[in-house]
Amino acid sequence: MSTFTDRTLVVSGGSRGIGLAIALGAASHGANVVLLAKTAEPHPKLPGTVHTAVADVEAAGGKGVAVVGDVRKEEDVQRAVDTAVEHFGGIDIVINNASAIATEPTEDLSAKKFDLMMDINVRGTFLLTKAALPHLRKSANAHVVTLAPPLNLNPHWLGAHPSYTLSKYGMTLLSLGWAEEFRQERGGAGIGFSCLWPETYIATAAVTNLADGDKMAARSRSPQIMADAAVEILSRPPADVNGKCFVDSAVLGETGVTDLSRYGGGNDPILDIFVDKL
């Protein structure tokens, strides 16, 4: 994994959960990591802050810098990008991880929650990717991985929570659109835009804080599976992953890893949203 030495990631929402796991996975192979997150002080229900996350990155073997900010705010996003350039000389990888979820029925969903999902999920993905583009273009091995699902038009998912679905599919459509928009740059060897999504629930605070969270967490896999899948994607040439939507278990399966028991979840893990049972 020498491909990560001196490569720099900017991760949104990276103070905990999947974003932090991906940061640690890259850091363990020598990457530099800039974490953009709002959590500067401990939260009573959420473990860790952006500062403890940086300490974890450095303990894993990488170099880390914290940027306290909101992915919805253009000036905060630009500050994160500028920090990466100032500290590490550029940006090679963007991880669009920050996301909000609200799955209430349409009549019960507040406009405030609707706006929050659109602002964090779609706007945040747009702002961070756009701000990083001038620096990604200079990288010899540039990737943008967006934590969003393959487009699944099964009516069940379209009707289950239309507003959340719109926000997540919006992230996917941005990634697929950028893959085409920038495909011909540097002879097709430019930036690799891809999406990554978990096959099952992942044991993060978003799960454990739900009703019956402990039981659901027992049937959820560790964030490490997403980290390992992301590291595999980021190890490939950009052109090989550009325009693709990956599921974590399938990525690992391509590398010969078929026994996923190390990631937990038991014999019957809960399939994630947007994933159909085969």
Side-chain angles (χ1 to χ4, degrees), residues 242-259:
N242 192 47
K244 295 183 179 180
C245 294
F246 296 100
V247 172
D248 57 0
S249 58
V251 173
L252 298 181
E254 292 172 8
T255 70
V257 177
T258 55
D259 181 3

PDB file of all heavy atoms in Angstrom, residues 242-259:
ATOM      1  N   ASN A 242     -13.654   5.070 -12.179  1.00  0.00           N
ATOM      2  CA  ASN A 242     -14.434   6.254 -12.546  1.00  0.00           C
ATOM      3  C   ASN A 242     -15.835   5.876 -13.025  1.00  0.00           C
ATOM      4  O   ASN A 242     -16.004   5.007 -13.881  1.00  0.00           O
ATOM      5  CB  ASN A 242     -13.718   7.028 -13.654  1.00  0.00           C
ATOM      6  CG  ASN A 242     -14.311   8.397 -13.884  1.00  0.00           C
ATOM      7  OD1 ASN A 242     -14.556   9.140 -12.944  1.00  0.00           O
ATOM      8  ND2 ASN A 242     -14.551   8.743 -15.144  1.00  0.00           N
ATOM      9  N   GLY A 243     -16.831   6.524 -12.443  1.00  0.00           N
ATOM     10  CA  GLY A 243     -18.206   6.305 -12.867  1.00  0.00           C
ATOM     11  C   GLY A 243     -18.849   5.052 -12.302  1.00  0.00           C
ATOM     12  O   GLY A 243     -19.929   4.660 -12.737  1.00  0.00           O
ATOM     13  N   LYS A 244     -18.223   4.432 -11.301  1.00  0.00           N
ATOM     14  CA  LYS A 244     -18.758   3.194 -10.746  1.00  0.00           C
ATOM     15  C   LYS A 244     -19.344   3.428  -9.359  1.00  0.00           C
ATOM     16  O   LYS A 244     -18.893   4.285  -8.612  1.00  0.00           O
ATOM     17  CB  LYS A 244     -17.669   2.126 -10.679  1.00  0.00           C
ATOM     18  CG  LYS A 244     -17.168   1.695 -12.058  1.00  0.00           C
ATOM     19  CD  LYS A 244     -16.147   0.574 -11.969  1.00  0.00           C
ATOM     20  CE  LYS A 244     -15.696   0.151 -13.362  1.00  0.00           C
ATOM     21  NZ  LYS A 244     -14.686  -0.940 -13.304  1.00  0.00           N
ATOM     22  N   CYS A 245     -20.359   2.625  -9.044  1.00  0.00           N
ATOM     23  CA  CYS A 245     -20.970   2.626  -7.714  1.00  0.00           C
ATOM     24  C   CYS A 245     -20.690   1.266  -7.079  1.00  0.00           C
ATOM     25  O   CYS A 245     -21.138   0.235  -7.598  1.00  0.00           O
ATOM     26  CB  CYS A 245     -22.473   2.871  -7.803  1.00  0.00           C
ATOM     27  SG  CYS A 245     -22.921   4.515  -8.399  1.00  0.00           S
ATOM     28  N   PHE A 246     -19.955   1.266  -5.995  1.00  0.00           N
ATOM     29  CA  PHE A 246     -19.511   0.036  -5.353  1.00  0.00           C
ATOM     30  C   PHE A 246     -20.297  -0.249  -4.084  1.00  0.00           C
ATOM     31  O   PHE A 246     -20.733   0.662  -3.387  1.00  0.00           O
ATOM     32  CB  PHE A 246     -18.027   0.149  -4.981  1.00  0.00           C
ATOM     33  CG  PHE A 246     -17.094   0.290  -6.138  1.00  0.00           C
ATOM     34  CD1 PHE A 246     -16.597   1.529  -6.507  1.00  0.00           C
ATOM     35  CD2 PHE A 246     -16.686  -0.827  -6.861  1.00  0.00           C
ATOM     36  CE1 PHE A 246     -15.721   1.670  -7.569  1.00  0.00           C
ATOM     37  CE2 PHE A 246     -15.808  -0.702  -7.929  1.00  0.00           C
ATOM     38  CZ  PHE A 246     -15.319   0.553  -8.283  1.00  0.00           C
ATOM     39  N   VAL A 247     -20.441  -1.540  -3.782  1.00  0.00           N
ATOM     40  CA  VAL A 247     -20.951  -2.006  -2.495  1.00  0.00           C
ATOM     41  C   VAL A 247     -19.792  -2.659  -1.774  1.00  0.00           C
ATOM     42  O   VAL A 247     -19.026  -3.425  -2.376  1.00  0.00           O
ATOM     43  CB  VAL A 247     -22.125  -2.981  -2.678  1.00  0.00           C
ATOM     44  CG1 VAL A 247     -22.533  -3.617  -1.349  1.00  0.00           C
ATOM     45  CG2 VAL A 247     -23.310  -2.256  -3.312  1.00  0.00           C
ATOM     46  N   ASP A 248     -19.643  -2.382  -0.482  1.00  0.00           N
ATOM     47  CA  ASP A 248     -18.434  -2.787   0.244  1.00  0.00           C
ATOM     48  C   ASP A 248     -18.094  -4.265   0.116  1.00  0.00           C
ATOM     49  O   ASP A 248     -16.949  -4.635  -0.210  1.00  0.00           O
ATOM     50  CB  ASP A 248     -18.516  -2.362   1.714  1.00  0.00           C
ATOM     51  CG  ASP A 248     -19.734  -2.908   2.460  1.00  0.00           C
ATOM     52  OD1 ASP A 248     -20.557  -3.638   1.869  1.00  0.00           O
ATOM     53  OD2 ASP A 248     -19.871  -2.597   3.670  1.00  0.00           O
ATOM     54  N   SER A 249     -19.057  -5.144   0.343  1.00  0.00           N
ATOM     55  CA  SER A 249     -18.780  -6.579   0.315  1.00  0.00           C
ATOM     56  C   SER A 249     -18.357  -7.048  -1.077  1.00  0.00           C
ATOM     57  O   SER A 249     -17.510  -7.943  -1.206  1.00  0.00           O
ATOM     58  CB  SER A 249     -20.010  -7.365   0.779  1.00  0.00           C
ATOM     59  OG  SER A 249     -21.137  -7.074  -0.043  1.00  0.00           O
ATOM     60  N   ALA A 250     -18.927  -6.428  -2.118  1.00  0.00           N
ATOM     61  CA  ALA A 250     -18.562  -6.802  -3.480  1.00  0.00           C
ATOM     62  C   ALA A 250     -17.129  -6.384  -3.804  1.00  0.00           C
ATOM     63  O   ALA A 250     -16.395  -7.106  -4.491  1.00  0.00           O
ATOM     64  CB  ALA A 250     -19.536  -6.179  -4.476  1.00  0.00           C
ATOM     65  N   VAL A 251     -16.726  -5.212  -3.321  1.00  0.00           N
ATOM     66  CA  VAL A 251     -15.349  -4.766  -3.527  1.00  0.00           C
ATOM     67  C   VAL A 251     -14.377  -5.754  -2.906  1.00  0.00           C
ATOM     68  O   VAL A 251     -13.384  -6.164  -3.534  1.00  0.00           O
ATOM     69  CB  VAL A 251     -15.126  -3.362  -2.912  1.00  0.00           C
ATOM     70  CG1 VAL A 251     -13.651  -2.968  -2.976  1.00  0.00           C
ATOM     71  CG2 VAL A 251     -15.971  -2.325  -3.631  1.00  0.00           C
ATOM     72  N   LEU A 252     -14.659  -6.175  -1.669  1.00  0.00           N
ATOM     73  CA  LEU A 252     -13.771  -7.118  -1.004  1.00  0.00           C
ATOM     74  C   LEU A 252     -13.815  -8.479  -1.687  1.00  0.00           C
ATOM     75  O   LEU A 252     -12.794  -9.172  -1.776  1.00  0.00           O
ATOM     76  CB  LEU A 252     -14.149  -7.237   0.469  1.00  0.00           C
ATOM     77  CG  LEU A 252     -14.018  -5.943   1.280  1.00  0.00           C
ATOM     78  CD1 LEU A 252     -14.407  -6.183   2.731  1.00  0.00           C
ATOM     79  CD2 LEU A 252     -12.606  -5.392   1.198  1.00  0.00           C
ATOM     80  N   GLY A 253     -14.999  -8.851  -2.178  1.00  0.00           N
ATOM     81  CA  GLY A 253     -15.114 -10.116  -2.897  1.00  0.00           C
ATOM     82  C   GLY A 253     -14.233 -10.161  -4.132  1.00  0.00           C
ATOM     83  O   GLY A 253     -13.672 -11.207  -4.478  1.00  0.00           O
ATOM     84  N   GLU A 254     -14.082  -9.012  -4.798  1.00  0.00           N
ATOM     85  CA  GLU A 254     -13.210  -8.938  -5.978  1.00  0.00           C
ATOM     86  C   GLU A 254     -11.749  -9.201  -5.620  1.00  0.00           C
ATOM     87  O   GLU A 254     -10.955  -9.593  -6.469  1.00  0.00           O
ATOM     88  CB  GLU A 254     -13.330  -7.560  -6.634  1.00  0.00           C
ATOM     89  CG  GLU A 254     -14.681  -7.298  -7.279  1.00  0.00           C
ATOM     90  CD  GLU A 254     -14.825  -5.858  -7.736  1.00  0.00           C
ATOM     91  OE1 GLU A 254     -13.831  -5.111  -7.700  1.00  0.00           O
ATOM     92  OE2 GLU A 254     -15.947  -5.474  -8.115  1.00  0.00           O
ATOM     93  N   THR A 255     -11.396  -8.978  -4.368  1.00  0.00           N
ATOM     94  CA  THR A 255     -10.013  -9.209  -3.928  1.00  0.00           C
ATOM     95  C   THR A 255      -9.834 -10.596  -3.321  1.00  0.00           C
ATOM     96  O   THR A 255      -8.755 -10.929  -2.837  1.00  0.00           O
ATOM     97  CB  THR A 255      -9.578  -8.152  -2.888  1.00  0.00           C
ATOM     98  OG1 THR A 255     -10.284  -8.369  -1.662  1.00  0.00           O
ATOM     99  CG2 THR A 255      -9.854  -6.745  -3.399  1.00  0.00           C
ATOM    100  N   GLY A 256     -10.901 -11.389  -3.326  1.00  0.00           N
ATOM    101  CA  GLY A 256     -10.824 -12.744  -2.789  1.00  0.00           C
ATOM    102  C   GLY A 256     -11.285 -12.878  -1.354  1.00  0.00           C
ATOM    103  O   GLY A 256     -11.245 -13.967  -0.787  1.00  0.00           O
ATOM    104  N   VAL A 257     -11.746 -11.780  -0.751  1.00  0.00           N
ATOM    105  CA  VAL A 257     -12.226 -11.828   0.632  1.00  0.00           C
ATOM    106  C   VAL A 257     -13.716 -12.166   0.620  1.00  0.00           C
ATOM    107  O   VAL A 257     -14.548 -11.332   0.258  1.00  0.00           O
ATOM    108  CB  VAL A 257     -11.987 -10.488   1.352  1.00  0.00           C
ATOM    109  CG1 VAL A 257     -12.556 -10.539   2.773  1.00  0.00           C
ATOM    110  CG2 VAL A 257     -10.510 -10.142   1.382  1.00  0.00           C
ATOM    111  N   THR A 258     -14.047 -13.391   0.977  1.00  0.00           N
ATOM    112  CA  THR A 258     -15.447 -13.820   0.982  1.00  0.00           C
ATOM    113  C   THR A 258     -15.963 -14.088   2.392  1.00  0.00           C
ATOM    114  O   THR A 258     -17.170 -14.085   2.621  1.00  0.00           O
ATOM    115  CB  THR A 258     -15.628 -15.089   0.134  1.00  0.00           C
ATOM    116  OG1 THR A 258     -14.716 -16.095   0.608  1.00  0.00           O
ATOM    117  CG2 THR A 258     -15.329 -14.795  -1.343  1.00  0.00           C
ATOM    118  N   ASP A 259     -15.068 -14.332   3.340  1.00  0.00           N
ATOM    119  CA  ASP A 259     -15.459 -14.522   4.731  1.00  0.00           C
ATOM    120  C   ASP A 259     -15.475 -13.162   5.414  1.00  0.00           C
ATOM    121  O   ASP A 259     -14.426 -12.581   5.707  1.00  0.00           O
ATOM    122  CB  ASP A 259     -14.466 -15.455   5.425  1.00  0.00           C
ATOM    123  CG  ASP A 259     -14.848 -15.712   6.881  1.00  0.00           C
ATOM    124  OD1 ASP A 259     -15.914 -15.207   7.314  1.00  0.00           O
ATOM    125  OD2 ASP A 259     -14.077 -16.394   7.588  1.00  0.00           O
TER     126      ASP A 259
END
